[in-house]
Amino acid sequence: MQTTSVRSQKRGGEAHAPKEKKQGKKLKNASDFLIVFLTLVLVVIGLVMVYDSSYYVAQQSAEFNNDAAYFLKKQLYGAVAGATFMIIFAIMDYRIWRKSVLPLLIAALVLMVLVWVPGIGININGSNRWIKIGPLPSIQSSEPAKFALIVYLA
């Protein structure tokens, strides 16, 4: 049993608070590392599943240049782009987005309406969900809307 007098505590005899804060910060960094690690594990599992489920079709089809890894490469490019954006957004100060909430919401609403504009909205399997503007790749209008809603709610 440890006994300390009231005077020694007032003079700063034992200071446990800073150590606890440091341990809390370590725990936060460890949990961040765990989330990143688990995300990378899921991405690798997804890449293996894409390759396993598509290599035969890609290898047999001239449409995909008889390249067994055609879909794996496409998925890998997306994973690298996603990891790059993850690093950029992790470094970036999140308070920057507060100023741009209204323009993001307006842009998301405009994109949602553009789906119905002939020549811009693409009808695939009887539904209009994609936007194609010139040589740019087609995008699904709900994806920027999700981002805008997350920023707005944060």
Side-chain angles (χ1 to χ4, degrees):
M1 183 166 144
Q2 186 180 16
T3 59
T4 56
S5 68
V6 175
R7 277 190 234 155
S8 68
Q9 287 180 353
K10 286 183 180 176
R11 284 185 277 151
E14 294 182 24
H16 291 292
K19 288 183 183 177
E20 290 174 7
K21 284 183 182 178
K22 285 182 182 178
Q23 288 174 350
K25 189 171 184 173
K26 273 187 180 179
L27 181 62
K28 180 183 176 202
N29 291 339
S31 65
D32 289 346
F33 175 76
L34 181 64
I35 290 171
V36 171
F37 176 74
L38 291 175
T39 302
L40 291 176
V41 167
L42 288 173
V43 167
V44 169
I45 290 171
L47 288 171
V48 170
M49 293 297 137
V50 165
Y51 180 71
D52 188 46
S53 64
S54 65
Y55 75 93
Y56 182 76
V57 172
Q59 185 179 16
Q60 299 299 319
S61 177
E63 182 182 349
F64 307 117
N65 300 325
N66 296 357
D67 182 11
Y70 176 81
F71 292 107
L72 173 67
K73 290 174 188 175
K74 267 186 100 168
Q75 194 73 15
L76 188 60
Y77 294 147
V80 169
T84 303
F85 282 115
M86 180 180 71
I87 291 168
I88 290 169
F89 285 123
I91 294 170
M92 184 186 285
D93 185 17
Y94 69 91
R95 292 179 205 101
I96 291 172
W97 295 105
R98 286 185 185 168
K99 298 173 187 171
S100 59
V101 169
L102 188 61
L104 281 173
L105 287 173
I106 292 170
L109 183 65
V110 167
L111 287 174
M112 298 291 272
V113 171
L114 281 178
V115 167
W116 299 104
V117 174
I120 295 177
I122 300 173
N123 187 328
I124 298 176
N125 294 331
S127 62
N128 293 337
R129 295 186 183 136
W130 293 83
I131 297 172
K132 177 76 173 161
I133 301 174
L136 298 174
S138 59
I139 62 166
Q140 198 166 15
S141 62
S142 63
E143 296 303 320
K146 288 178 196 176
F147 177 71
L149 189 62
I150 290 169
V151 171
Y152 172 73
L153 292 175

